[in-house]
Amino acid sequence: MDAGDADPRDWRGVAEFIAEAQLRGIADACARILSRGNLPADVPLVGAGVGCFVARRLAERLHRPYVSFEQFFDSAATAGAGVGDCAPAAAVASLAAQELAR
């Protein structure tokens, strides 16, 4: 279908339905893992990148704390760098810097 085939409010409803279905699937998977009892209740979900808002919603739904990936880095050194948007590369760079500092 094309955008003009339905009212924008209808498309918004479809998008909200799909987003909720995806979030529910992720929440169910997390709940299965958390039900194993291997993690304390205060272990946070860490959000990074453009999807961090999903992690934040998920943390709320699971009654878990939320932590932004950027919080693991010195804010002065990463100001404006978008560390969360390139989390894997930033994590590897951080590990390499720690190794070089030894």
Side-chain angles (χ1 to χ4, degrees), residues 14-55:
V14 170
E16 288 171 358
F17 173 81
I18 292 170
E20 176 58 29
Q22 290 174 329
L23 186 60
R24 192 175 321 119
I26 297 168
D28 289 349
C30 287
R32 280 192 299 276
I33 291 170
L34 293 172
S35 72
R36 296 176 185 167
N38 297 336
L39 296 171
D42 62 345
V43 171
L45 269 70
V46 178
V50 296
C52 65
F53 69 96
V54 175

Side-chain angles (χ1 to χ4, degrees), residues 81-100:
V83 170
D85 292 342
C86 52
V92 170
S94 177
L95 290 171
Q98 290 173 19
E99 189 64 28
L100 291 172

Side-chain angles (χ1 to χ4, degrees), residues 1 6-21:
M1 297 180 74
D7 185 86
R9 288 174 293 181
D10 295 332
W11 287 123
R12 177 128 182 121
V14 170
E16 288 171 358
F17 173 81
I18 292 170
E20 176 58 29

